[in-house]
Amino acid sequence: MMIRGVSIALLCVFVLLVVTQECTGKNVLSRNSSSSLLPQRPSSVNVGALFTYDSFIGRAAKPAFKAAMDDVNADQTILNGTKLNIVFQDSNCSGFIGTMGALQLMETQVVAAIGPQSSGIAHMISYVANELHVPLLSFAATDPTLSSLQYPYFLRTTQSDYFQMHAVADFISYSGWKQVIAIYVDDEYGRNGITILSDALAKKRSKISYKAAITPGADYTSIESLLVSVNMKASRVYVVHVNPDSGLNVFTVAKSLGMMGNGYVWIATDWLPTSLDSMEPVDSETMDLLQGVVAFRHYTPESSTKRELKGRWKNGFNSYALYAYDSVWLLARALDVFFKEHNTITFSNDQNLTKTSDSSIQLSALSVFNEGEKLLEIILGMNHTGLTGRIQFDAERNRLNPAYEVLNIAGTGPRRVGYWSNHSGLSVVTPETLYSKPPNTSTANQRLYGIIWPGEVTKPPRGWVFPNNGKPLKIAVPNRVSYKDYVSKDKNPPGVRGFCVDVFEAALELLPYPVPRNYILYGDGKKNPSYNNLTNEVVAENFDVAVGDITITTNRTRFVDFTQPFIESGLVVVAPVKAAKSSPWSFLKPFTIEMWAVTGAFFLFVGAIVWILEHRFNHEFRGPPRRQLITIFWFSFSTMFFSHRRLVLIIWLFVVLIINSSYTASLTSILTVQQLTSRIEGIDSLIQSKEPIGVQDGTFARNYLVNELNISPHRIVPLRDEEHYLSALQLGPKAGGVAAIVDELPYIEVLLTNSNCKYRTVGQEFTRTGWGFAFQRDSPLAVDMSTAILQLSEEGELEKIHRKWLNYKHECSIFWGLFLICGITCFIALSVFFWRVFWQYQRLLPDSGDEERVCEVTETPRSGRGLRAPSFKELIKVVDTKEAEIKEMLKQKSSKKLKSSQSGAGSSHSQRSDIP
């Protein structure tokens, strides 16, 4: 009764106060009635904060929340007297406890919640936020699948891992690696982040070759077992995406297994810098674990406010503290706008939750924030600068201008080697400097400072090795039945032989590492295998590589990686040629016999006329009759090639010009216009005809003719080997053969060698390609082999291998008659010359008492030498002496001999006259 009486008394007082207030406020209302209608700001507003206290992120976030709350409440320019009150709740790193904590926060009628730090918990409590219309601002949940479509009240105030994984992919592409291994924690944060990384790498023609998932809270033994299996793989590039609190265990185990040395690459996401920043100063033992590791950290621009805030921490400060601080200020500014727009804060019961009143769980105590959608709209429209940079959201509710620092841990701590942003990719310039310039993420624009890799090496590691699982490279080799010099079966190890195999082996010898391998024949040996099927076997990973005469085609490059071509190729047309056009005397055919006779006669006639006119004035036309006759012949034919300044020759030279031009044109026409038995002049005429076309069985030529040139498949005749080629061409289309053959140039070169010049290529190559070795897609070995093939080409080794196997010559010269005439003429002229020289030398040999004469031509005789046999050295000196000098010597010798004979005859006569 007493309580009831007190209540009645209080009610009366309340009514009295209300009535009094109404009476005394009438004048005020009359003076400023509009002001009294405005909603009053509340004295305080509750904001929830949900995170794990005992964690690297939580220990940095909690003081940041408190500092931000104090700074907001101390700032008179914001919230206009309304106190911001943060209600803390510990999620204890548990999805269940985190969800219950979120429900407890909602009971306090919070207008927004900041957190959680865990992506897994964020997925669960986002449903609560959706139901109660409470904006959920996460400062640490980076899972990119937390999308606005599924969770409209979820908003991320940090950067999404979508951007971080693209930064990692850009770095991997920049370093030239094609395959990586992902080591990640097996939860929403780890799995979804690695999925984005896989997509980003695919755009760079790289891939995750193996995914190694770590169970949350895994012990040392489990991690060791996982890393042992990882170390058996080929890739040596590891991307580690785990939680900050347990991630260092991965490197501890890796160090013990010897996986932190030369040749290994370790890339860590932002969890590692978060751990190191929270542990400052970091002990030397921990730094020793991480030497050579590359890590990514959220980029936050330097400012005095940032340095002042960091000064409040004794230790444990990391980038998430800045995001927590900015989240509070973002919400405070949004609430300030919310109140300035005359909005009120009201809650109502959720009809869906009142239906659960029969349950022991009192969900009906939760209220819906009626103005939650309006507050969320204001938050999304905010645009200001915080400690973490510009705070503004795009259409997908991600923060604009995401950026990361690229760190290299070496020595006593991490050092920055560059930045990444979605505006410019990898750069050594701070992101905000580049925002004023046009976006440029081209490959040529990417740059980082030098990195010290594990093992204290500065050269980027190759990134892969052959796995230590005892499995050699499985190499498929086509079991050909034709053109076996290119590739074929062999009885001796390694079981295959040929030009292609030698090139492959020579390239392997240039690699800086051993390659265990097994050659496996592909095909039944009865006919050439299908090369499309062969490459498909590589795609299906039944073989690691295909080695042979494999043509690089556009379609095949979509599924396999080819090396640099080791031989050029292209499709050509081969058709029969009439034997009549292969005469060695074709050079005589431009003129008839009568034309040749008339031309020759007129040469002599004009020469005689010129001699008659010139011999009285020109000393070159004078001399003995023999010399003048030679001059007539020489001058006549020299007019074909040399000009003369004689007026009488003008008409004749014009005639010679016409003769030269006519002969050249006729001969060119004979040599270029081939009269083919099938009237095929190239691929165009072959397409227009309806005659059958021969192709090599198993090659891509058939598909090209049918699919690209639209030739009917019924016209295509598959041919097994060279004998079938020649037989089909010889029979011709009317006798069951083919009109022409379409095949690749390397094969045709072999074919024409054995064709006795009965067949030739007609037209030009109508495709340009080459042969290469086909590897599985994104195989790093393909890149190294391409480099090795280029080195073989530059050093001339490729040409040596080509000459060893393919030294074919199939020139069908039609001018051997002309060369025969020239050769016989030269032989006769040279024989006459040497006969004459030898005759002169014999005449110059010294006679008895005449040895001194030869000294003028030959070297001085040594003492004691009498008559000598012919000397090769003396003969050469005679050859080198001018003809005029030789004639003079012979003339003098003859004169002296004559005098000697006359003197001897006179002496003999005197002696006879003195006899009594």
Side-chain angles (χ1 to χ4, degrees):
M1 292 294 294
M2 183 178 297
I3 295 176
R4 183 178 180 182
V6 173
S7 300
I8 294 174
L10 291 174
L11 180 60
C12 293
V13 172
F14 176 74
V15 173
L16 180 61
L17 290 174
V18 171
V19 173
T20 305
Q21 180 67 28
E22 288 180 353
C23 294
T24 57
K26 287 181 179 180
N27 293 334
V28 177
L29 182 61
S30 64
R31 290 194 302 266
N32 193 7
S33 59
S34 60
S35 298
S36 63
L37 294 176
L38 295 177
Q40 298 297 316
R41 290 194 179 206
S43 59
S44 65
V45 59
N46 289 338
V47 174
L50 179 66
F51 56 95
T52 300
Y53 293 173
D54 189 17
S55 65
F56 282 138
I57 295 178
R59 286 190 289 270
K62 191 169 186 178
F65 283 133
K66 292 182 177 179
M69 182 177 63
D70 294 341
D71 292 346
V72 167
N73 291 330
D75 192 339
Q76 298 300 321
T77 63
I78 194 169
L79 291 180
N80 197 19
T82 299
K83 181 181 179 182
L84 183 68
N85 181 41
I86 298 180
V87 181
F88 292 95
Q89 189 70 41
D90 187 4
S91 62
N92 201 24
C93 202
S94 168
F96 177 75
I97 296 177
T99 303
M100 298 305 297
L103 295 176
Q104 293 176 2
L105 280 178
M106 300 306 174
E107 289 181 349
T108 62
Q109 294 189 336
V110 294
V111 296
I114 302 176
Q117 71 189 60
S118 167
S119 296
I121 299 175
H123 276 277
M124 290 185 286
I125 68 174
S126 290
Y127 291 106
V128 178
N130 290 350
E131 186 67 25
L132 302 179
H133 297 182
V134 176
L136 183 63
L137 282 65
S138 178
F139 68 98
T142 57
D143 177 8
T145 64
L146 288 164
S147 67
S148 58
L149 295 177
Q150 185 177 7
Y151 309 115
Y153 281 86
F154 176 85
L155 183 63
R156 194 185 346 256
T157 58
T158 185
Q159 299 294 353
S160 169
D161 274 344
Y162 174 88
F163 302 107
Q164 180 170 211
M165 294 307 167
H166 277 76
V168 173
D170 283 352
F171 177 75
I172 292 171
S173 176
Y174 171 80
S175 302
W177 300 311
K178 292 298 182 180
Q179 296 186 16
V180 303
I181 292 178
I183 302 173
Y184 62 98
V185 60
D186 193 13
D187 60 10
E188 289 84 354
Y189 157 77
R191 287 191 303 269
N192 296 333
I194 293 302
T195 299
I196 297 298
L197 176 62
S198 179
D199 295 340
L201 288 174
K203 297 177 182 178
K204 303 289 184 180
R205 289 287 307 274
S206 300
K207 68 177 183 179
I208 298 176
S209 60
Y210 183 72
K211 294 181 180 180
I214 300 176
T215 304
D219 57 13
Y220 185 95
T221 304
S222 299
I223 297 175
E224 182 180 41
S225 176
L226 181 72
L227 292 186
V228 168
S229 64
V230 163
N231 201 32
M232 299 290 288
K233 307 300 180 183
S235 178
R236 285 292 183 265
V237 182
Y238 306 130
V239 178
V240 186
H241 187 55
V242 294
N243 293 317
D245 298 276
S246 58
L248 289 176
N249 295 336
V250 174
F251 290 103
T252 302
V253 176
K255 183 75 172 181
S256 67
L257 295 176
M259 298 174 65
M260 298 298 298
N262 189 8
Y264 289 88
V265 177
W266 291 88
I267 303 171
T269 53
D270 68 285
W271 69 266
L272 182 57
T274 299
S275 299
L276 297 180
D277 292 342
S278 303
M279 294 168 60
E280 287 186 349
V282 183
D283 60 272
S284 59
E285 184 178 351
T286 300
M287 292 307 305
D288 185 57
L289 292 175
L290 304 173
Q291 293 298 303
V293 175
V294 174
F296 288 80
R297 179 170 61 191
H298 294 105
Y299 172 72
T300 56
E302 292 296 326
S303 65
S304 58
T305 309
K306 175 182 173 181
R307 288 189 292 269
E308 187 274 331
L309 179 65
K310 187 175 180 180
R312 303 184 192 182
W313 268 259
K314 294 182 179 179
N315 51 50
F317 182 87
N318 56 51
S319 61
Y320 287 103
L322 299 175
Y323 286 110
Y325 185 88
D326 276 355
S327 298
V328 176
W329 271 95
L330 170 64
L331 190 54
R333 294 178 185 275
L335 285 170
D336 189 47
V337 175
F338 178 84
F339 291 134
K340 287 181 178 179
E341 293 180 355
H342 314 302
N343 294 299
T344 59
I345 296 177
T346 61
F347 293 88
S348 62
N349 294 328
D350 190 335
Q351 297 299 322
N352 295 325
L353 296 179
T354 56
K355 297 177 182 179
T356 64
S357 57
D358 296 338
S359 172
S360 59
I361 302 176
Q362 299 299 320
L363 296 180
S364 58
L366 301 176
S367 301
V368 175
F369 178 29
N370 296 325
E371 290 76 27
E373 185 176 356
K374 179 62 178 180
L375 178 60
L376 177 64
E377 181 183 344
I378 293 174
I379 294 173
L380 292 173
M382 296 300 295
N383 182 6
H384 68 280
T385 301
L387 297 183
T388 57
R390 182 183 177 187
I391 301 177
Q392 188 179 7
F393 301 94
D394 59 18
E396 297 180 356
R397 301 188 181 183
N398 291 313
R399 283 189 57 173
L400 296 180
N401 300 330
Y404 293 86
E405 295 177 277
V406 184
L407 306 177
N408 178 213
I409 301 175
T412 59
R415 64 185 183 92
R416 184 170 52 235
V417 295
Y419 306 89
W420 179 92
S421 70
N422 65 340
H423 184 84
S424 58
L426 297 171
S427 173
V428 295
V429 181
T430 56
E432 60 267 20
T433 305
L434 299 173
Y435 290 149
S436 59
K437 302 178 181 178
N440 186 358
T441 57
S442 63
T443 303
N445 194 51
Q446 308 302 291
R447 186 191 170 197
L448 291 174
Y449 291 121
I451 295 175
I452 301 176
W453 303 98
E456 298 183 356
V457 296
T458 56
K459 182 181 178 180
R462 188 172 66 248
W464 68 278
V465 295
F466 276 93
N468 299 322
N469 53 16
K471 293 183 179 179
L473 203 67
K474 293 185 295 183
I475 305 174
V477 178
N479 190 8
R480 293 191 59 88
V481 298
S482 63
Y483 302 109
K484 293 186 176 182
D485 283 344
Y486 288 109
V487 60
S488 63
K489 180 181 179 180
D490 191 20
K491 296 180 180 179
N492 301 319
V496 291
R497 63 191 292 273
F499 168 73
C500 301
V501 176
D502 279 8
V503 172
F504 187 77
E505 288 288 329
L508 288 179
E509 292 296 326
L510 295 178
L511 300 183
Y513 47 84
V515 181
R517 54 198 177 275
N518 285 335
Y519 289 96
I520 304 171
L521 287 170
Y522 181 79
D524 56 11
K526 298 179 181 179
K527 65 177 183 178
N528 294 331
S530 169
Y531 281 61
N532 284 337
N533 293 341
L534 176 59
T535 54
N536 289 337
E537 291 289 335
V538 176
V539 175
E541 299 185 358
N542 295 326
F543 298 105
D544 297 308
V545 57
V547 171
D549 47 339
I550 306 171
T551 306
I552 303 172
T553 65
T554 303
N555 186 58
R556 291 172 183 171
T557 57
R558 296 189 180 103
F559 308 103
V560 296
D561 280 351
F562 280 97
T563 60
Q564 174 79 12
F566 57 86
I567 188 172
E568 293 183 356
S569 181
L571 290 178
V572 294
V573 178
V574 176
V577 180
K578 282 185 177 180
K581 291 302 176 182
S582 299
S583 171
W585 311 107
S586 295
F587 67 93
L588 296 175
K589 292 186 177 182
F591 293 161
T592 63
I593 296 176
E594 293 80 3
M595 182 63 181
W596 281 113
V598 171
T599 302
F602 260 88
F603 273 120
L604 297 177
F605 176 73
V606 171
I609 296 299
V610 172
W611 175 80
I612 293 173
L613 298 175
E614 292 287 331
H615 83 283
R616 295 183 62 190
F617 308 100
N618 194 333
H619 71 279
E620 293 181 358
F621 286 82
R622 301 190 65 81
R626 175 185 172 188
R627 177 183 175 185
Q628 295 186 45
L629 184 62
I630 293 174
T631 301
I632 291 174
F633 277 95
W634 170 249
F635 182 84
S636 298
F637 289 98
S638 69
T639 58
M640 288 287 292
F641 311 101
F642 307 103
S643 62
H644 300 271
R645 295 189 300 265
R646 302 293 183 262
L647 181 62
V648 74
L649 294 177
I650 292 178
I651 301 299
W652 175 241
L653 291 178
F654 178 75
V655 173
V656 168
L657 175 64
I658 299 301
I659 292 174
N660 275 332
S661 302
S662 177
Y663 178 85
T664 302
S666 299
L667 184 60
T668 302
S669 176
I670 291 173
L671 296 179
T672 56
V673 179
Q674 301 293 337
Q675 296 180 7
L676 307 180
T677 59
S678 60
R679 303 180 305 279
I680 303 301
E681 300 178 357
I683 187 62
D684 294 331
S685 60
L686 185 62
I687 295 174
Q688 295 172 2
S689 72
K690 301 299 182 181
E691 297 174 325
I693 304 170
V695 298
Q696 184 182 170
D697 193 16
T699 63
F700 85 105
R702 182 187 186 280
N703 291 338
Y704 184 86
L705 294 177
V706 173
N707 299 331
E708 301 296 332
L709 302 183
N710 297 320
I711 295 177
S712 172
H714 301 292
R715 295 178 57 192
I716 308 300
V717 179
L719 302 174
R720 181 175 180 271
D721 53 27
E722 299 97 316
E723 293 182 2
H724 287 113
Y725 271 43
L726 298 177
S727 175
L729 286 172
Q730 186 175 3
L731 290 173
K734 296 180 179 180
V738 297
I741 287 176
V742 174
D743 206 348
E744 295 183 74
L745 185 59
Y747 302 125
I748 297 304
E749 289 178 344
V750 179
L751 177 70
L752 295 182
T753 303
N754 304 319
S755 67
N756 296 323
C757 297
K758 295 180 180 179
Y759 314 102
R760 291 187 189 169
T761 59
V762 293
Q764 302 295 324
E765 289 183 65
F766 55 92
T767 65
R768 292 281 183 173
T769 181
W771 292 352
F773 305 126
F775 286 83
Q776 292 179 10
R777 195 65 182 267
D778 300 323
S779 170
L781 185 58
V783 179
D784 289 355
M785 287 295 289
S786 293
T787 304
I789 290 172
L790 287 174
Q791 185 177 345
L792 287 175
S793 178
E794 292 172 356
E795 295 176 354
E797 295 298 322
L798 202 58
E799 181 61 26
K800 292 180 181 178
I801 299 173
H802 189 277
R803 288 198 300 267
K804 172 185 174 182
W805 289 98
L806 310 172
N807 192 21
Y808 300 122
K809 296 181 180 179
H810 56 273
E811 292 84 358
C812 299
S813 175
I814 62 174
F815 291 122
W816 63 265
L818 185 61
F819 290 112
L820 179 64
I821 293 174
C822 182
I824 292 174
T825 303
C826 291
F827 176 78
I828 293 174
L830 200 60
S831 299
V832 171
F833 171 77
F834 278 112
W835 176 83
R836 179 177 176 82
V837 170
F838 187 77
W839 175 77
Q840 292 174 341
Y841 176 73
Q842 289 291 338
R843 292 191 60 190
L844 287 174
L845 285 176
D847 298 329
S848 57
D850 196 28
E851 189 175 9
E852 71 279 1
R853 172 55 57 188
V854 78
C855 297
E856 298 179 10
V857 179
T858 62
E859 58 184 19
T860 304
R862 287 172 291 185
S863 60
R865 289 189 65 181
L867 295 177
R868 296 166 297 172
S871 168
F872 178 76
K873 187 174 182 180
E874 295 171 351
L875 181 62
I876 294 300
K877 286 188 173 292
V878 173
V879 173
D880 190 51
T881 306
K882 291 183 178 181
E883 180 69 16
E885 295 179 7
I886 293 294
K887 289 182 178 180
E888 182 66 24
M889 293 177 189
L890 290 175
K891 184 178 180 181
Q892 292 178 4
K893 183 176 181 180
S894 298
S895 177
K896 183 176 180 180
K897 185 180 291 186
L898 179 62
K899 290 180 181 180
S900 298
S901 63
Q902 292 176 352
S903 175
S907 175
S908 171
H909 179 73
S910 299
Q911 290 178 359
R912 285 196 301 268
S913 62
D914 290 340
I915 296 176

